[in-house]
Each structure stands twice: as C-alpha cells, then as structure tokens.
C-alpha cells in the first residue's frame, strides 16, 4: 500500500507518473477522490465505489448525500481527463450493486471540440 505522500516523495516531490492506482476502501472513495490529484499523475485509476448496500439502514438523507457524492466523484474524474474504459459488476458480495470501474487518463487534446454527455 502506498500513500499519495509516499508516491510524491518517491518522485522527489516534483511530480511523476504512476501507471495504476487501485482503490477499494469500503466507502471512503467518495470523500478521498480529490486527494488523488496533485503532483503525481496516475495513468489509470481502478476503483470500487460502494453504493446502495453501503447506504442501507442509514436513512434517505444519507442516501441522498451519497448520490450527490457519486455525481461529484464521476464529474471530478471526467474533469481531470479520465474516461471509463471498463466496468465490472462485483457479484460475489454485492449481487452486482457495486462495480469496479477502470478509468484511463487521456490527453486534453482528446476532449477538444467534444460536447459533454450531460
């Protein structure tokens, strides 16, 4: 396991490129996503966002906040130049409600002249 600080330190604090960041932290991904972007660039990010089962029994207000976080999460990744290239449902423990997402970072020129899908 490698922290962002350790990765940045390995590159002398001046940035660098890491091939893959893998995140499966049981629900923290919604809040820690902004910390993934800094001096070190990740070519790919693989993450398992936790959804409805994670929100079970916590009430409608919690679920609504989770939905806002979900939207912000995907918007942030897209804003940083990442696109989904693979999505796989996790069926063993969540009956497909959680999915592993794989994102790849593309050069800004890829997005020039393209309209948002919103």
């Amino acid at each position: 396991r490698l922290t962002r600080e350790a990765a940045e330190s390995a590159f002398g604090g001046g940035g660098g490129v890491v091939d893959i960041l893998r995140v499966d932290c049981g629900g923290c991904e919604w809040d820690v996503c902004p910390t993934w972007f800094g001096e070190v660039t990740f070519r790919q990010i693989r993450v398992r966002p936790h959804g409805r089962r994670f929100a079970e029994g916590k009430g409608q207000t919690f679920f609504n906040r989770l939905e806002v976080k979900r939207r912000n999460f995907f918007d942030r990744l897209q804003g940083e130049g990442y696109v989904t290239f693979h999505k796989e449902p996790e069926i063993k423990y969540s009956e497909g409600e959680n999915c592993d997402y794989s994102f790849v970072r593309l050069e800004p020129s890829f997005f020039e002249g393209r309209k948002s899908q919103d």
Side-chain angles (χ1 to χ4, degrees):
R1 301 195 186 267
L2 180 69
T3 65
R4 166 162 284 292
E5 292 79 15
E8 289 177 356
S9 176
F11 291 106
V17 177
V18 174
D19 289 332
I20 299 174
L21 170 67
R22 171 68 171 122
V23 180
D24 182 2
C25 57
C28 77
E29 61 279 346
W30 305 113
D31 297 314
V32 300
C33 172
T35 68
W36 302 343
F37 310 105
E39 295 295 319
V40 175
T41 299
F42 299 101
R43 289 185 179 151
Q44 295 181 21
I45 297 175
R46 183 168 181 201
V47 61
R48 177 178 294 162
H50 293 77
R52 292 178 189 265
R53 282 185 175 254
F54 179 72
E56 273 182 9
K58 296 183 180 176
Q60 189 63 40
T61 301
F62 181 88
F63 182 78
N64 292 342
R65 283 195 312 260
L66 182 63
E67 287 301 303
V68 169
K69 288 180 179 186
R70 182 194 62 80
R71 177 63 182 208
N72 292 342
F73 173 84
F74 285 101
D75 286 349
R76 177 66 187 262
L77 283 164
Q78 185 179 34
E80 295 287 341
Y82 290 88
V83 296
T84 304
F85 74 90
H86 184 75
K87 176 182 171 185
E88 180 178 346
E90 193 279 306
I91 58 175
K92 186 172 183 180
Y93 300 106
S94 73
E95 300 173 359
E97 289 187 23
N98 293 331
C99 292
D100 283 336
Y101 284 86
S102 296
F103 300 93
V104 63
R105 188 169 188 273
L106 301 176
E107 292 297 320
S109 61
F110 176 84
F111 299 99
E112 290 175 6
R114 297 176 189 261
K115 293 179 84 176
S116 173
Q117 296 292 322
D118 288 338

